Amino acid sequence: MSESKLAGQFFDAAIGLLQRTRDEESANIAAAGTAVADAVAAGGRLFAFGAGHSSLAAQDVVYRAGGLALMNLLTVPGAVGVDVMPATLGSALERVDGLASAVLDSSPAKAGDVLVIISLSGRNALPVEMAMNARALGLTVIGVTSVAYATETRSRHTSGTFLKDHCDIVLDSKIAVGDAELTHDGIEAPFAPASTVVTSALMQATMAAAAEQLAERGIEPPLLRSGNVDGGHEWNGRVMTEYRDRIFFRH
């Protein structure tokens, strides 16, 4: 079977975006890593949130081998992933005012903690309100979004603002509006989204920067090991016991 031309084009597009974010967002990634390291060192907690497919990159850094044990998923019922039925309900919930404040008020998040909010468009009420309320509570907010949406689309929040407008640090994924990298004659809709690849890379790069910062300060990063290697379960048990008051996915 011959190679797929379009498959190769998708890899090229994804690699190009990864190179752009590596080069153009390096200072912001370092700043985000510093914010995470500061919270870890000061006894704070870490949270990640994303709605719909944006939740994939948030879940990728929670309870993850090679990841920071202190990263917790901030969940909004019905908005995490596409498991809600019908799936379109998840998209509708992203536009509901008041939902983010209800979730934050009932969460363990408090002043001094870090919240990473992932939203490709950053235009819906849920991520905008989440960022506004989190900062009002004294959290450091890191937004991972495509800044292009703020100039090429209209906000769906009553303030008319976007996620990027309410963050302490913004990581721009550089994803074009529509999140589809390829077009082809005979195929009417654009296709092959790359946002998950790029956003996950931004998240892992931030975690790597945080681990580097902690090590430079003489602090052992609270990392998890794979449970599929010898000694992994024992290692993770020790880490979770030591940091049990800052890990919420184990209760």
Side-chain angles (χ1 to χ4, degrees):
M1 182 178 295
S2 61
E3 294 182 3
S4 168
K5 179 180 178 182
L6 291 177
Q9 288 179 359
F10 174 76
F11 277 111
D12 290 341
I15 290 167
L17 284 163
L18 289 170
Q19 289 175 330
R20 277 193 66 195
T21 53
R22 179 195 65 190
D23 296 340
E24 298 175 17
E25 296 301 303
S26 58
N28 293 327
I29 292 168
T34 297
V36 170
D38 287 346
V40 172
R45 292 84 58 79
L46 310 173
F47 298 89
F49 164 76
H53 286 95
S54 289
S55 72
L56 295 173
Q59 294 179 58
D60 193 45
V61 293
V62 176
Y63 187 50
R64 183 63 192 262
L68 289 172
L70 307 190
M71 183 60 75
N72 301 277
L73 188 68
L74 186 65
T75 58
V76 175
V80 179
V82 292
D83 57 338
V84 62
M85 296 295 289
T88 50
L89 175 60
S91 298
L93 288 172
E94 290 187 60
R95 306 179 190 183
V96 175
D97 293 326
L99 186 55
S101 60
V103 169
L104 273 175
D105 289 346
S106 61
S107 80
K110 63 182 183 181
D113 293 344
V114 169
L115 172 59
V116 183
I117 300 176
I118 304 168
S119 174
L120 178 62
S121 72
R123 68 189 296 224
N124 288 311
L126 186 53
V128 173
E129 182 185 304
M130 187 75 77
M132 294 174 71
N133 288 20
R135 290 183 85 187
L137 290 172
L139 279 75
T140 297
V141 176
I142 300 169
V144 185
T145 187
S146 171
V147 172
Y149 277 83
T151 58
E152 299 181 38
T153 68
R154 294 175 60 186
S155 170
R156 291 186 176 130
H157 187 255
T158 54
S159 67
T161 60
F162 288 76
L163 169 62
K164 74 172 185 65
D165 300 316
H166 305 285
C167 299
D168 297 286
I169 302 163
V170 175
L171 304 181
D172 183 5
S173 64
K174 318 293 182 182
I175 300 294
V177 173
D179 192 18
E181 293 300 318
L182 302 181
T183 58
H184 188 66
D185 292 341
I187 302 176
E188 293 192 18
F191 54 100
S195 61
T196 304
V197 174
V198 178
T199 303
S200 292
L202 284 168
M203 291 296 291
Q204 294 295 351
T206 297
M207 298 303 107
E212 180 181 28
Q213 277 277 335
L214 289 167
E216 289 176 354
R217 302 179 197 185
I219 300 171
E220 179 67 29
L223 296 167
L224 295 173
R225 292 180 181 267
S226 171
N228 296 314
V229 298
D230 292 342
H233 285 297
E234 293 77 13
W235 172 280
N236 292 342
R238 289 193 299 271
V239 171
M240 289 191 180
T241 297
E242 181 177 352
Y243 293 94
R244 61 184 177 274
D245 60 331
R246 299 156 74 181
I247 299 173
F248 302 104
F249 54 76
R250 64 189 297 273
H251 297 301

